[in-house]
Amino acid sequence: MPSLRDYRDRITSVKSTRKITSAMKMVAASKLRKAQEQAEASQPYASAMAEMLERVAKNVVITEASSKLLAGTGSDKKHLLVVVTADRGLCGGFNGNLVKQVRKTITELHAEKKDVFLLCVGRKGSDLLRRGHARDIWKSFIGLMGSSKVEFAEANKVTEYILEKFEDGEFDVCSLVYNEFQSVLTQKPTVQQLIPFKLPEAGSDEDAEEQGEAVAAKPAQEEGAKSPYSFEPQEEEILNALLPRNIGVQIFRALLDSAAGEQAARMTAMDNATRNAGEMINDLTLQYNRARQAHITKELIEIISGAEAV
């Protein structure tokens, strides 16, 4: 049975841990606010880029002369996964859940007889994936999500590396795997294909219902028109300029989501740790009081027994 001193030492230790986790929670909350503001500030540009690509791509017919970023290499044998994780831990299952998704994707691609290569952005992803996939990791980018904010110039280094490898024919398909920031409590592991660029599908069911009457009223010769916009220069030239930039924007947005999600996960994890420490202190205090009372009772019994013997 532990002594009273052991209980006191454990209570003191847990109280010290609670102070640390409480401080980390407040720091993570402060960083989360900044990360959210940066992510929200980048949304208008990312949305405008997506809308422009959709408008341009609607009138594009893929041919052999089309950019490889759009048409692909003609094969899907070699896959590159760009894995975005945090540089530090103590953020719950933020990194572990993403690595599980990466391992699942790798298993599925291997089952289809595909070659898989990894590009890690973040120290934790690199450390975790080296166990079993060390030979598949091409390079690791560490420190891009700094303590202050994420810089586009730093994220662009990843884009340049990917485009360089693609031009050298090192891979056929590139996918981005990151934690999509949905809320403070939810960060969803997401797989997004970057290369080749996926053309928008020919209208969803909701769009068809909303535009059904308008389409029916159009003359037959106009039914083939996909977009009412005219472009100068040609759509192919615009796509050749926008597609590399779109890759940079998507990677930058993934870094912003990952930075915000990391702080949200850390804040939640430290809040849980602080509450668990409080509950443990209460339990240890109760056990200490019981042990102390038992010790006092034992001494009283010894005193009474000694008095009666005299």
Side-chain angles (χ1 to χ4, degrees):
M1 181 178 179
S3 64
L4 295 179
R5 182 175 180 179
D6 292 335
Y7 281 121
R8 287 196 296 266
D9 291 343
R10 289 189 63 186
I11 291 173
T12 301
S13 176
V14 176
K15 285 183 177 179
S16 299
T17 302
R18 184 174 63 175
K19 290 180 181 179
I20 295 173
T21 56
S22 179
M24 292 184 66
K25 172 189 172 183
M26 291 186 291
V27 172
S30 175
K31 291 183 177 181
L32 172 61
R33 185 181 68 254
K34 296 178 181 179
Q36 279 185 296
E37 291 175 355
Q38 188 182 12
E40 292 173 357
S42 68
Q43 287 302 317
Y45 181 81
S47 300
M49 173 68 78
E51 291 176 3
M52 177 59 70
L53 280 173
E54 183 178 354
R55 291 173 183 174
V56 177
K58 281 184 177 179
N59 283 346
V60 170
V61 178
I62 299 178
T63 63
E64 295 181 356
S66 300
S67 170
K68 290 184 178 181
L69 294 176
L70 178 63
T73 61
S75 173
D76 63 346
K77 177 66 175 177
K78 301 177 182 178
H79 286 251
L80 173 64
L81 300 181
V82 183
V83 184
V84 181
T85 58
D87 289 326
R88 299 186 299 158
L90 295 177
C91 48
F94 180 80
N95 296 308
N97 292 335
L98 184 71
V99 170
K100 287 181 181 178
Q101 177 63 50
V102 174
R103 294 184 186 276
K104 178 182 177 182
T105 303
I106 293 175
T107 301
E108 293 174 351
L109 291 174
H110 281 168
E112 298 175 1
K113 307 300 181 182
K114 309 295 184 182
D115 297 330
V116 182
F117 307 100
L118 300 173
L119 178 62
C120 297
V121 182
R123 186 186 304 275
K124 299 303 293 183
S126 177
D127 293 343
L128 293 173
L129 289 171
R130 286 189 185 279
R131 305 171 186 174
H133 302 283
R135 296 181 179 180
D136 300 328
I137 298 178
W138 279 352
K139 189 174 182 179
S140 298
F141 290 88
I142 298 173
L144 298 187
M145 292 174 283
S147 57
S148 57
K149 62 179 181 179
V150 181
E151 298 289 347
F152 182 79
E154 296 295 325
N156 200 45
K157 295 179 181 179
V158 183
T159 306
E160 293 175 353
Y161 182 84
I162 293 173
L163 293 176
E164 179 182 352
K165 287 291 186 179
F166 184 68
E167 291 176 0
D168 294 339
E170 298 289 338
F171 65 89
D172 302 314
V173 180
C174 177
S175 298
L176 183 64
V177 188
Y178 68 102
N179 279 307
E180 181 184 0
F181 179 77
Q182 296 183 340
S183 68
V184 175
L185 299 176
T186 307
Q187 298 85 40
K188 179 182 178 182
T190 303
V191 181
Q192 177 184 358
Q193 181 173 313
L194 296 179
I195 301 175
F197 175 74
K198 281 189 175 181
L199 289 172
E201 298 180 359
S204 61
D205 295 338
E206 295 180 358
D207 295 336
E209 293 178 0
E210 294 176 357
Q211 300 178 359
E213 296 181 359
V215 172
K218 288 184 179 179
Q221 63 271 19
E222 295 182 4
E223 290 181 0
K226 296 182 180 180
S227 175
Y229 297 94
S230 298
F231 297 95
E232 180 67 30
Q234 295 299 318
E235 292 89 340
E236 288 283 354
E237 297 181 26
I238 297 175
L239 281 176
N240 290 338
L242 288 183
L243 286 174
R245 296 186 182 183
N246 178 63
I247 295 174
V249 169
Q250 298 304 324
I251 292 176
F252 183 54
R253 183 171 63 179
L255 290 178
L256 292 176
D257 275 15
S258 184
E262 175 191 355
Q263 300 305 330
R266 180 170 292 113
M267 184 183 69
T268 302
M270 292 301 102
D271 179 59
N272 293 334
T274 302
R275 287 190 284 104
N276 291 339
E279 294 176 359
M280 183 176 291
I281 290 172
N282 293 336
D283 292 340
L284 289 173
T285 302
L286 180 60
Q287 294 176 23
Y288 170 78
N289 291 334
R290 287 177 177 174
R292 181 171 175 269
Q293 185 63 43
H295 183 70
I296 294 173
T297 303
K298 180 181 178 181
E299 289 183 349
L300 288 175
I301 292 174
E302 291 176 353
I303 294 172
I304 294 172
S305 300
E308 290 179 353
V310 173

